[in-house]
């Protein structure tokens, strides 16, 4: 097994390099909930073609990229942030990283240009695993679990490099994995 860490709140799930599921290929998922009933997280490095203003027209200046959080409930909008001092709401999922909060307050802050792109990330849908599903995928080496990351990585807009960066941050034991081709037949 590649990873001995449990996929608890605030940890990252890093997809193995040859995962063929298009929903999770080269994905970095922030775990926002992990309980007996299952796990919820958001893919940090799969941007959609949408901006927040496309989904919420009243926020005409909201040029925030909306990410594809996962294949579940893609008709919902979620957000993580590191600006609790402005929103004064949200569930802390890692040191200085919060999930959700009062959306009405957030809309006012966005309209007043008080929120910066490096403080918040929006998602359509989420990633979800049922009871024992993620544990089985971990046994199959589908995911590496990490708690070794800087909060800046969560809010990175360099989606192409994020997967590689978090792998390299795991140390020399994993660094070689970051150079694997997308298609193992090309190796």
């Amino acid at each position: 097994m590649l990873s001995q860490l449990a996929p608890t709140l605030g940890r990252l799930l890093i997809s193995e390099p040859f995962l063929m599921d298009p929903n999770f290929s080269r994905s970095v998922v922030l775990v926002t909930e992990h309980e007996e009933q299952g796990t919820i997280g958001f893919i940090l490095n799969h941007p959609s073609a949408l901006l927040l203003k496309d989904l919420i027209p009243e926020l005409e200046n909201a040029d925030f990229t909306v990410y594809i959080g996962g294949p579940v409930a893609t008709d919902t909008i979620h957000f993580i942030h590191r600006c609790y001092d402005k929103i004064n709401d949200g569930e802390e999922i890692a040191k200085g990283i919060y999930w959700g909060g009062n959306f009405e307050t957030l809309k006012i802050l966005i309209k007043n240009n008080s929120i910066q792109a490096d403080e918040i990330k929006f998602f359509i849908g989420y990633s979800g695993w049922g009871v024992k599903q993620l544990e089985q995928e971990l046994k199959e080496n589908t995911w590496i679990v990490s708690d070794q990351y800087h909060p800046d990585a969560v809010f990175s807009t360099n989606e192409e490099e994020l997967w590689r960066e978090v792998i390299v941050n795991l140390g020399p034991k994993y660094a070689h994995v970051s150079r694997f081709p997308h298609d193992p037949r090309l190796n």
Side-chain angles (χ1 to χ4, degrees), residues 97-162:
I97 301 173
Y98 301 85
W99 174 24
N102 186 310
F103 201 71
E104 294 306 313
T105 300
L106 178 59
K107 288 192 318 189
I108 292 167
L109 291 166
I110 290 171
K111 285 181 181 182
N112 292 335
N113 294 316
S114 298
I115 300 288
Q116 305 305 310
D118 65 349
E119 296 178 301
I120 196 159
K121 219 170 209 183
F122 294 92
F123 304 92
I124 49 175
Y126 64 90
S127 299
W129 292 265
V131 177
K132 302 289 183 196
Q133 182 182 0
L134 184 55
E135 284 75 8
Q136 182 59 40
E137 290 181 16
L138 288 169
K139 286 179 187 172
E140 296 167 358
N141 292 324
T142 302
W143 300 99
I144 301 168
V145 180
S146 175
D147 61 358
Q148 299 176 33
Y149 65 93
H150 190 278
D152 288 348
V154 172
F155 298 95
S156 172
T157 56
N158 189 349
E159 298 86 13
E160 290 291 319
E161 287 298 312
L162 182 59

Side-chain angles (χ1 to χ4, degrees), residues 2 12-19 24-29 43-46 121 142-144 146 148 153 156-170 174-183:
L2 284 174
L12 298 179
L13 298 176
I14 307 161
S15 68
E16 64 92 3
F18 304 126
L19 182 61
F24 295 106
S25 176
R26 302 274 167 135
S27 290
V28 178
V29 178
I43 302 172
L44 299 173
N45 61 331
H46 287 191
K121 219 170 209 183
T142 302
W143 300 99
I144 301 168
S146 175
Q148 299 176 33
S156 172
T157 56
N158 189 349
E159 298 86 13
E160 290 291 319
E161 287 298 312
L162 182 59
W163 180 85
R164 186 175 278 91
E165 178 186 323
V166 295
I167 292 267
V168 169
N169 283 343
L170 292 172
Y174 295 98
H176 71 283
V177 172
S178 72
R179 296 185 300 275
F180 287 0
H182 282 274
D183 187 338

